[in-house]
Amino acid sequence: MQNKNMLVVLFALFGMVFFDASYAENADVFLEEEVVENIDEQANIENVAAAAIENYDVEGSLFQQITTLEQEKILMQLEKERAQLDLELDRLAAEKIKLHMEIDTLSGRAEQQQQEIETQKAKLEAEAVKLEREKERLQEEMQNKETNKNTGASVSVSEKTQLLNDIAKSYRLVNVVGAGSQLQATVEDLSSGQTKRVSVGKVLDGWKVKSISLDEGVVFVNDEGETQNLNVSNGK
């Protein structure tokens, strides 16, 4: 009986071992098949992807449209920047031209001002020379007057009488016209025959007209206070 039981146990153990070995072998085969299937599936996916990429037509696709729009946008921005740069270059060129014109204008003004200064300087120098000559002339006249004054102081009585007679010897009274204080006299230069119109206050050859009347004619007075009459009888 015990031997029978032992046999049963042994058969049971052998069955379990055989089952475990068969199961393990079947499990390994199953795993290998699953792995192979996964590999094949992955390979199929990669092949499909590669074929899809190879056969993908870019023309007219959404990707192409988006890419084209982006490129156009970039090109438009570049065109805008280039136009802005062109405007800036034109502005700089205009500023350069304007600057050159201003420099030329300033140079012309500087030359003109220099010429004006030279002209003004020449005028001032000429005016200075003129004033110097006028000064010399006035000094000469003052010296002459001083000499004449000194000479006149030493003139004898006979010479004074001769001077008094000069006005009568040089001129004759032609007529007296006017009325009241507005009387005027016309005298004739005996040496040239020219006539002159005199009135009260006028000076003729150093003699001042003191008065004019129909009776006395023209009364002259000199610096010494001496008087001389020129009337119609003097001319006869």
Side-chain angles (χ1 to χ4, degrees):
M1 184 69 181
Q2 290 180 349
N3 291 330
K4 185 177 182 179
N5 291 331
M6 287 294 294
L7 290 172
V8 171
V9 172
L10 290 173
F11 279 115
L13 290 173
F14 180 78
M16 290 178 64
V17 170
F18 179 79
F19 177 79
D20 290 337
S22 177
Y23 178 78
E25 183 179 357
N26 292 333
D28 292 337
V29 172
F30 177 77
L31 289 174
E32 290 178 358
E33 291 177 353
E34 186 175 358
V35 170
V36 170
E37 289 178 357
N38 289 334
I39 292 173
D40 293 338
E41 185 178 357
Q42 183 66 28
N44 290 331
I45 292 173
E46 292 178 355
N47 292 331
V48 171
I53 293 172
E54 183 179 357
N55 297 325
Y56 181 73
D57 188 7
V58 179
E59 295 294 331
S61 64
L62 179 61
F63 175 78
Q64 184 189 26
Q65 294 178 3
I66 294 173
T67 303
T68 303
L69 289 174
E70 289 296 328
Q71 291 177 350
E72 291 179 353
K73 183 178 179 181
I74 294 172
L75 289 174
M76 289 177 64
Q77 183 66 25
L78 292 175
E79 288 291 336
K80 182 178 179 181
E81 292 179 358
R82 189 179 71 176
Q84 187 67 28
L85 288 175
D86 290 339
L87 290 175
E88 189 68 17
L89 290 174
D90 293 340
R91 185 185 67 80
L92 290 176
E95 289 291 335
K96 183 178 179 181
I97 294 173
K98 182 180 179 181
L99 182 61
H100 282 299
M101 292 178 64
E102 290 179 352
I103 291 174
D104 293 339
T105 301
L106 291 175
S107 299
R109 289 180 179 176
E111 293 178 358
Q112 183 178 1
Q113 290 178 354
Q114 184 65 28
Q115 291 178 356
E116 291 178 354
I117 291 173
E118 294 295 333
T119 303
Q120 190 67 22
K121 181 180 178 181
K123 288 182 179 180
L124 291 175
E125 291 177 353
E127 188 69 21
V129 172
K130 182 179 179 181
L131 291 175
E132 186 65 26
R133 291 177 179 176
E134 185 69 17
K135 179 180 178 181
E136 293 176 356
R137 186 185 65 82
L138 290 175
Q139 289 178 350
E140 184 178 354
E141 288 184 357
M142 291 177 64
Q143 291 176 357
N144 292 335
K145 287 183 178 180
E146 187 69 21
T147 301
N148 292 335
K149 182 178 180 181
N150 294 333
T151 302
S154 61
V155 173
S156 62
V157 176
S158 59
E159 290 174 342
K160 289 183 178 179
T161 304
Q162 183 65 32
L163 289 173
L164 287 175
N165 293 331
D166 285 344
I167 195 70
K169 290 181 178 180
S170 300
Y171 296 93
R172 73 178 186 87
L173 179 62
V174 178
N175 57 36
V176 176
V177 296
S181 60
Q182 302 298 323
L183 288 174
Q184 292 183 345
T186 301
V187 296
E188 180 183 357
D189 189 336
L190 297 177
S191 61
S192 63
Q194 294 181 349
T195 57
K196 298 180 181 180
R197 181 68 60 86
V198 296
S199 58
V200 176
K202 296 290 183 180
V203 177
L204 183 64
D205 291 353
W207 292 83
K208 184 178 181 180
V209 179
K210 181 179 181 181
S211 63
I212 299 176
S213 64
L214 296 175
D215 297 332
E216 296 181 355
V218 182
V219 178
F220 293 92
V221 62
N222 62 10
D223 294 336
E224 303 295 329
E226 298 170 338
T227 62
Q228 182 178 2
N229 288 26
L230 188 62
N231 49 41
V232 176
S233 61
N234 295 121
K236 293 182 181 181

